[in-house]
Amino acid sequence: METHKYKSLDCITVADISALGIPIEVADLIHGKLAGIIRDCGAGTPQTWQMICKQVLSPELPFSFHQMMYYGCYKEFGPDPVAWIPDSGSANLTNVGQLLEKRGKEFLGSKYKDPISSFLDFQEFSVSNPEVYWKTILEDMNISFSVPPECILREDPTHPGGHWLPGAHTNPAKNCLCLNGKRNPDDIALIWQDEGADKVPVKKMTFRELRSAVWLVAYAIETLGLEKGSAIAIDMPMDVNSVVIYLAIVLAGYLVVSIADSFAPSEISSRLKISKAKAIFTQDLIIRGDKSLPLYSRVVDAQSPTAIVIPTIGSSFSMKVRDCDISWHSFLERVNGSKEVEFVAVERPVEAFTNILFSSGTTGEPKAIPWTIFTPFKAAADGWCHMDIHKGDVVAWPTNLGWMMGPWLVYASLLNGASMALYNGSPLGSGFAKFVQDAKVTMLGVIPSIVRTWKSTNSTASYDWSAIRCFASTGEASSVDEYLWLMGRAQYKPVIEYCGGTEIGGGFITGSLLQRQSLAAFSTPAMGCSLFILGEDGLPIPPDVPGIGELALGPLIFGASSTLLNADHYDIYFKKMPVWNGKVLRRHGDVFERTARGYYRAHGRADDTMNLGGIKVSSVEIERICNAVDTNILETAAIGVPPPNGGPERLMIAVVFKNSDESPNDLKNLAASFNSALQKKLNPLFKVSNVIPLPSLPRTASNKVMRRILRQQFSQRERNPKL
């Protein structure tokens, strides 16, 4: 914390406040309110900060004043200052609060006090009593099965993750569309707006309309003549069409292959081949502002199977397609008369696959991670418990179906009876900020790089975000100042940090609206998850003891992966992991710290996979491209380095030249060449922050590059540029 730069609250004067650009008469009023709060609560307590948020701070006041209040309040507090405190009234109205008020004593016995005091006990109960916990949550979400499970969990010594919901048959898309206590036909399912159309009202689709749209596409998919369980890819922006297509594929008993719309043809091709996709839904172009980015042509260059090509909203479809491909209009015309006829969902065993997503491995080839039929229920349960998503909520999270948060958003919204809010355009500008206001978003998901842009451009100014009940953040490490700014945009609503993985189907560590939240920190393991920080001896350190080390997970995680399409699942997640209480722990790979006040903080990857802008990528993938940029490059090492004040990792490239005398004098030019190659061949969002020439790379005795050593050196250089 940067408390040394700030005065304690009781030393702040009217002149100090006015010096930040606040009119003197306003500064005088603020100082009077501040004096009253200090008199009632003291100068440096969480209650002091809570009252300042309620009575003093507003989005219109300069952020420098928000910082003065926050750092001044916590000048003597120490680590993990409290940014948000739950109150019993609102806590008791949350999904978890209502459940505990009703059944807390049944679950916890005499240990139960109230939802806030007993939350961690309930989290431990969810781990020790999975049969009761998951039965309760699935019932609350109204999950239906055509064949009910024999039990919730059947443990198996040959299968570390256990067998969940054995014998059950269901369909997650059908559960999204069912009309029950969580949703009525006229409830709003989707809210959206196109970039540049912010002067017209937002568009809405009811559950009745969504059901009809999904049924129509499901019937049309049947005309492709594919076997049930076949893989069908989606490579599109996340909009109404792609959500309808996603649900239709699942409803009809097929398998979605998720491909991000930013990928180059080679990356699209590798994912199509690994998944053995039989067809692909895509779009002719992607419109971003005044730019038109090709998409269908990239799919063609990837030598895709049959493509169903949707015209971009606002564009006329005049593009010539391959003979094997089908225009969207022609595709739907095949079954136009079936729009109002309900499509009978194909209910499948819960161990069957419903979605193939991809996560970078350390070998350079993307790991193909199947979500099973019940993985979506894990995503929805996280939203139910940790973000408190319920009927009446409007949930927005800028993402793509190619990343796990795309399917997560679909299921966490619709299975909980909430509305999903989609913006067809860049989330970085004022158009998106206005959409959040106009759609009355109540739960806004972010990644830190988006928040950083909002803050630097002040793109949220003048927009009313008061409908927001909470934020959620995932994808990369967040920054205290940036998230202090974010909370201030919505009258200091909490930020729920959320960390998990594609292979988890959701989160393993997060926050809760029933706990105090500290900025850029996690307050609890996710429900049903147990966490272990491994010490230097490779064994878990004692629970509740502060420490830092590689994080391991208890193996029995509802919804987590049990297989990979192109790698040995056991080798990647369980091999050589310690056994604890008779169970082998599951590898995750991140380094975490447990603090003295019981919070958790992320410290990046333990292996050589880095996290760039919320996208996990292996060093090998980046190095393979960088090595080919200049003929004088002998080898490179790609390193993700967290900045000194927190935030997402920066990409640095260590370069060893074949002939140091001929090395490029202008390393900025080389960085530009690296950026061009990476953005063209790997991902247009990747950017090299620094190029560092070295005489050689540090290696182990077996000749493996020691990237951890480089990461330490580069981190020290970031903290002290004179080194």
Side-chain angles (χ1 to χ4, degrees), residues 7 29 32 43 46 129 133 192 246 303 331 377 437 495 618 650:
K7 294 181 178 180
L29 287 172
N129 293 271
Y133 175 77
W192 74 97
Y246 184 97
Q303 299 180 320
F331 179 69
F377 304 148
Q437 167 192 277
V495 179
S618 72
R650 296 173 180 168

Side-chain angles (χ1 to χ4, degrees), residues 627-644:
N627 288 342
V629 164
D630 192 294
T631 56
N632 192 36
I633 292 176
L634 177 64
E635 60 182 347
T636 61
I639 309 296
V641 179

Side-chain angles (χ1 to χ4, degrees), residues 72-94:
C73 178
Y74 288 122
K75 188 172 182 65
E76 306 298 333
F77 189 80
D80 302 330
V82 178
W84 181 81
I85 304 174
D87 67 81
S88 58
S90 58
N92 291 352
L93 295 176
T94 63

Side-chain angles (χ1 to χ4, degrees), residues 393-426:
D393 275 326
V394 178
V395 183
W397 204 322
T399 185
N400 185 273
L401 288 171
W403 310 116
M404 68 151 280
M405 291 312 297
W408 187 98
L409 177 62
V410 172
Y411 290 120
S413 302
L414 300 183
L415 285 176
N416 286 309
S419 305
M420 183 177 7
L422 303 170
Y423 185 72
N424 302 330
S426 169

